[in-house]
């Protein structure tokens, strides 16, 4: 234990991580081996180059398109049943061994891992379930589940298939749905059109979290309002733009929506300019009673750990010790896993 104080105390009790992407959660050494086992051509001369290829430079990237370019590589390497199984297994085991994460939700888009339809989607998802099962045997202390992600660049029909699969594999460890990815056109993404899909998922007992309000200025704030009112998610990935708008914070508070805040990720993608902005954002939410939990977005790709995130927030005065404890506790409570255990 190297962090000291409340961070060590929370780690001893067990941490909760609800926002981490499979493409950013697997040790590069495992990804390197998986790439070689599958004979994937990589634009690197050695392992050290590869580490840089699949992680964000500590100085950050220019924005989300550059982050997506890194994901392209990890998604390609994870585009087979074998690789998905080993990645899920590795991500859960790694989270427990390195951070004592005992509540973990791992999200991924299965349709970005089937080589454009060449690999069967059911094989990909069942492989993830096997990885989950194997990790559960090795680390019974961890409650872990999968979130299937839709994508903003996908057609309605494609996203419908993902929701259909999430429902079908609910009994095998899929606990929720999400949507992410770049906007297909400049301006606002019409989140409201997803309403029937989200409703179907909700009725089937799945949790709903939506990537929104991470960046995008006034359009991003408008999207947040649309998501809160029309999609009524349980949680929101990022949602940091809400701190700039009283009305949006009121909506979040009234709906009891929990934000999944990923401080280092926001700094690395320049969604937040500096640590002061991180502090102001978290302070605003804490002071206005907006619920949130802390996450990494992908510890390996972001080269951070959940304990680093908590240490950062305490160091810059974004959270008090009591608020850090509450944020971790909220993670254990706001997980879709609990719902699965009750509803299953
Ligand atoms: Zn994310």
């Amino acid at each position: 234990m190297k962090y000291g104080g409340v961070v060590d105390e929370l780690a001893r009790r067990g941490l909760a991580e609800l926002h981490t992407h499979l493409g950013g959660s697997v040790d590069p050494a495992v990804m390197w081996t998986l790439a070689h086992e599958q004979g994937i051509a990589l634009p690197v001369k050695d392992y050290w180059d590869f580490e840089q290829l699949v992680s964000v430079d500590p100085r950050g990237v220019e924005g989300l398109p550059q982050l997506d370019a890194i994901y392209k590589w990890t998604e390609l390497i994870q585009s087979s049943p074998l690789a998905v199984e080993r990645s899920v297994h590795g991500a859960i085991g790694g989270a427990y061994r390195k951070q004592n994460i005992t509540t973990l939700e791992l999200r991924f888009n299965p349709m970005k891992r089937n080589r454009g339809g060449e690999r069967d989607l059911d094989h990909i998802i069942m492989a993830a379930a096997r990885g989950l099962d194997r990790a559960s045997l090795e680390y019974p202390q961890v409650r872990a589940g999968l979130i299937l992600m839709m994508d903003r660049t996908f057609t309605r029909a494609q996203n419908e298939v993902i929701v259909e699969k999430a429902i079908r594999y609910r009994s095998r460890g899929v606990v929720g749905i999400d949507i992410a990815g770049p906007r297909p056109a400049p301006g606002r993404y019409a989140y409201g059109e997803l309403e029937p899909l989200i409703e179907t998922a909700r009725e089937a007992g799945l949790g709903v979290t939506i990537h929104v309000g991470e960046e995008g200025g006034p359009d991003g704030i408008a999207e947040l309002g649309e998501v809160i009112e029309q999609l009524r998610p349980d949680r929101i990935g990022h949602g940091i733009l809400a701190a700039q708008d009283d009305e949006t914070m009121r909506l979040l508070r009234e709906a009891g929506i929990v934000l999944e805040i990923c401080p280092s990720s926001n700094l690395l993608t320049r969604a937040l300019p500096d640590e002061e902005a991180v502090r102001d954002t978290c302070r605003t939410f804490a002071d206005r009673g907006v619920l949130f939990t802390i996450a990494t977005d992908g510890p390996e790709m972001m080269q951070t750990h959940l304990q680093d995130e908590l240490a950062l927030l305490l160091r810059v005065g974004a959270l008090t010790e009591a608020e850090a404890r509450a944020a971790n506790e909220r993670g254990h409570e706001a997980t879709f896993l609990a719902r699965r255990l009750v509803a299953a």
Side-chain angles (χ1 to χ4, degrees), residues 19-21 71 107 149 178 180 211 214 237-238 262 265 297:
H19 189 131
T20 184
H21 296 250
Y71 270 114
R107 60 186 74 193
M149 302 175 69
D178 178 21
H211 267 82
E214 180 177 6
H238 301 291
C262 309
S265 167
D297 218 3

Side-chain angles (χ1 to χ4, degrees), residues 165-185:
K165 300 291 183 194
I167 294 169
R168 182 182 306 168
Y169 291 101
R170 198 174 153 253
S171 64
R172 298 289 285 114
V174 176
V175 296
I177 53 159
D178 178 21
I179 184 161
R183 290 175 187 80

Side-chain angles (χ1 to χ4, degrees), residues 60-229:
V61 289
E62 274 166 45
L64 293 180
Q66 286 71 29
L67 185 64
D68 282 329
I70 302 174
Y71 270 114
K72 287 266 179 321
W73 284 108
T74 58
E75 286 164 355
L76 172 66
I77 295 167
Q78 292 175 343
S79 290
S80 70
L82 167 119
V84 165
E85 178 178 340
R86 295 249 291 274
S87 294
V88 169
H89 172 255
I92 297 170
Y96 179 68
R97 290 190 307 269
K98 292 180 185 173
Q99 295 288 290
N100 198 28
I101 289 172
T102 53
T103 297
L104 179 68
E105 293 178 11
L106 203 49
R107 60 186 74 193
F108 70 102
N109 185 326
M111 234 180 249
K112 288 190 167 186
R113 285 167 176 77
N114 71 340
R115 296 178 188 247
E118 180 200 296
R119 303 288 164 95
D120 182 73
L121 214 49
D122 294 284
H123 277 260
I124 296 289
I125 301 169
M126 279 296 271
R130 281 197 300 279
L132 192 69
D133 284 346
R134 285 177 52 207
S136 305
L137 285 168
E138 292 174 28
Y139 307 101
Q141 301 80 3
V142 184
R143 295 191 294 169
L146 305 167
I147 294 175
L148 295 193
M149 302 175 69
M150 300 180 277
D151 199 89
R152 287 185 282 245
T153 62
F154 281 10
T155 62
R156 154 90 193 211
Q158 284 176 302
N159 284 330
E160 218 171 282
V161 170
I162 290 170
V163 170
E164 209 176 278
K165 300 291 183 194
I167 294 169
R168 182 182 306 168
Y169 291 101
R170 198 174 153 253
S171 64
R172 298 289 285 114
V174 176
V175 296
I177 53 159
D178 178 21
I179 184 161
R183 290 175 187 80
R188 288 170 59 178
Y189 179 74
Y191 284 93
E193 288 175 15
L194 294 171
E195 202 266 336
L197 285 185
I198 300 288
E199 202 47 52
T200 309
R202 194 180 357 252
E203 277 171 16
L206 291 166
V208 177
T209 180
I210 306 282
H211 267 82
V212 68
E214 180 177 6
E215 41 77 63
D219 279 341
I221 294 175
E223 285 180 349
L224 255 171
E226 186 179 341
V227 164
I228 298 166
E229 292 190 300

